């Protein structure tokens, strides 16, 4: 059986320069496949709002939705380090609110850590959750919950001034006690500088190869999410095409009376068919 990684193992991997690979998952079967494939970690991202519910962004996602999906992922991947993603307005209001909602992930979905977006401006929330005994991952760069303020889903830290700003945010996340940091959609050199500056693991999604590990959105990687494809996505499968073809074939065979065939039906018990026909 696969051994579940701990935050300590992740720290060791950074020190040994071993790359960590993780992906988002929102449901039981995907979590099962990811664990079977040997994924190091899983994120139940609030990207589920777009990938599962068809929302335009992540803002409408609720705590209850995140808990339900995290719980399903935990059942599918009992031996994988799972991170629950705190949705918009679950941690911004106050430290108490943030601690309460973070705690729900651990109590109701048995996650190993939670992730929240922001640098210096969420310092006190990260510290409060860590002080309550929970593992927190930070998330800076392109932070989808504040994409309106950032000018949309666009790369961050492309000027020296904004890159220095990101470095300050990264340091604040570490100072607040986070065990790791995710950096999204920034140039590789900026992510590399953050990785080399921080003692904690620094992971990339769309922030290039100078990181302690890589995250991808499962629906992007599998070719399931079709609304748009960010530059940093590599598609490893064309699942939307595979599914559409299977549905087309099912429709054709059923309308053509080829399905269900003999092998897909149940027979009556021996002698029962004659009695049934005789009595009806
Ligand atoms: O919700 C999510 O999947 C995320 C990624 C975009 C990093 O937070």
């Amino acid at each position: 059986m696969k051994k579940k990684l701990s935050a300590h193992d992740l720290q060791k991997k950074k020190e040994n320069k071993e790359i960590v690979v993780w992906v988002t998952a929102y449901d039981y079967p995907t979590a099962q496949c990811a664990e079977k494939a040997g994924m190091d970690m899983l994120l139940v991202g609030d990207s589920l709002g777009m990938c599962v519910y068809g929302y335009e962004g992540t803002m409408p996602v609720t705590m209850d939705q995140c808990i339900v999906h995290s719980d399903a992922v935990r059942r599918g991947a009992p031996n994988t380090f799972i991170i629950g993603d705190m949705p918009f307005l679950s941690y911004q209001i106050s430290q108490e609110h943030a601690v309460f909602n973070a705690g729900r992930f651990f109590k109701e979905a048995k996650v190993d850590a939670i992730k929240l977006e922001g640098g210096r401006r969420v310092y006190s929330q990260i510290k409060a959750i860590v002080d309550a005994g929970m593992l927190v991952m930070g998330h800076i760069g392109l932070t989808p919950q504040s994409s309106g303020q950032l000018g949309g889903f666009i790369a961050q830290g492309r000027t020296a001034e904004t890159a220095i700003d990101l470095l300050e945010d990264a340091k604040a996340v570490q100072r607040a006690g986070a065990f790791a940091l995710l950096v999204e959609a920034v140039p590789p050199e900026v992510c590399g500088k953050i990785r080399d500056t921080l003692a904690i693991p620094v992971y990339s999604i769309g922030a290039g190869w100078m990181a302690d590990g890589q995250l991808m959105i499962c629906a992007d990687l599998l070719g399931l999410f079709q609304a748009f494809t960010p530059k940093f996505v590599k598609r490893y499968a064309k699942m939307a095409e595979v599914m559409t073809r299977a549905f087309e074939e099912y429709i054709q065979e059923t309308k053509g009376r080829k399905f269900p065939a003999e092998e897909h039906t149940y027979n009556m018990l021996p002698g029962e068919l004659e009695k049934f026909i005789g009595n009806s």
Side-chain angles (χ1 to χ4, degrees):
M1 203 206 331
K2 181 184 167 220
K3 180 188 168 286
K4 187 164 87 167
L5 294 177
S6 64
H8 181 77
D9 296 326
L10 295 166
Q11 184 63 41
K12 279 268 160 281
K13 282 184 186 290
K14 174 175 177 118
E15 287 157 21
N16 297 336
K17 300 199 182 324
E18 267 180 71
I19 294 289
V20 167
V21 187
W22 50 310
V23 71
T24 64
Y26 316 111
D27 57 43
Y28 174 83
T30 309
Q32 275 192 315
C33 292
E35 178 161 298
K36 198 169 169 198
M39 206 62 73
D40 290 315
M41 297 197 284
L42 290 174
L43 168 69
V44 188
D46 64 351
S47 50
L48 67 86
M50 297 155 90
C51 299
V52 177
Y53 289 93
Y55 304 149
E56 276 184 13
T58 56
M59 300 288 245
V61 175
T62 66
M63 269 301 296
D64 286 344
Q65 286 171 320
C66 289
I67 296 286
V68 164
H69 287 274
S70 299
D71 191 32
V73 168
R74 169 48 80 211
R75 281 193 293 274
N79 303 310
T80 303
F81 190 94
I82 294 175
I83 301 159
D85 203 12
M86 297 196 64
F88 180 62
L89 279 197
S90 68
Y91 56 95
Q92 288 91 342
I93 296 167
S94 68
Q95 292 173 33
E96 289 75 17
H97 197 232
V99 171
F100 177 80
N101 281 322
R104 281 195 63 194
F105 274 99
F106 290 85
K107 286 171 81 81
E108 298 175 43
K110 301 188 183 71
V111 301
D112 298 288
I114 58 91
K115 172 174 89 56
L116 53 79
E117 297 182 6
R120 283 161 287 183
R121 68 180 174 186
V122 289
Y123 173 90
S124 65
Q125 285 93 328
I126 295 178
K127 186 165 182 336
I129 299 169
V130 172
D131 286 348
M134 295 172 261
L135 284 171
V136 179
M137 177 183 282
H139 177 177
I140 61 168
L142 169 49
T143 42
Q145 289 172 21
S146 42
S147 58
Q149 286 183 341
L150 300 176
F153 289 93
I154 54 172
Q156 302 295 307
R158 297 181 78 188
T159 63
E161 191 187 347
T162 55
I164 290 167
D165 223 42
L166 280 176
L167 188 56
E168 290 310 312
D169 276 332
K171 288 184 200 163
V173 168
Q174 173 169 281
R175 260 198 322 276
F179 80 99
L181 174 67
L182 176 66
V183 180
E184 178 166 356
V186 309
E189 297 78 8
V190 179
C191 187
K193 177 73 181 167
I194 295 172
R195 174 200 58 188
D196 296 342
T197 304
L198 299 199
I200 58 174
V202 174
Y203 303 120
S204 150
I205 177 164
W209 57 94
M210 295 188 209
D212 297 310
Q214 296 293 331
L215 167 68
M216 283 256 279
I217 304 275
C218 65
D220 286 336
L221 181 161
L222 296 173
L224 262 177
F225 184 69
Q226 302 177 89
F228 61 89
T229 308
K231 177 182 166 69
F232 57 77
V233 166
K234 177 164 179 186
R235 286 213 163 147
Y236 285 86
K238 294 180 176 171
M239 290 302 288
E241 287 175 28
V242 170
M243 286 171 72
T244 308
R245 265 204 310 278
F247 291 145
E248 283 168 354
E249 212 176 317
Y250 165 55
I251 293 168
Q252 259 177 14
E253 289 202 349
T254 306
K255 293 197 173 183
R257 299 181 195 280
K258 286 192 181 148
F259 176 83
E262 178 65 26
E263 67 266 30
H264 307 117
T265 56
Y266 299 102
N267 293 322
M268 287 191 84
L269 296 175
E272 295 300 315
L273 181 59
E274 293 75 12
K275 280 195 259 170
F276 174 59
I277 291 169
N279 285 332
S280 58

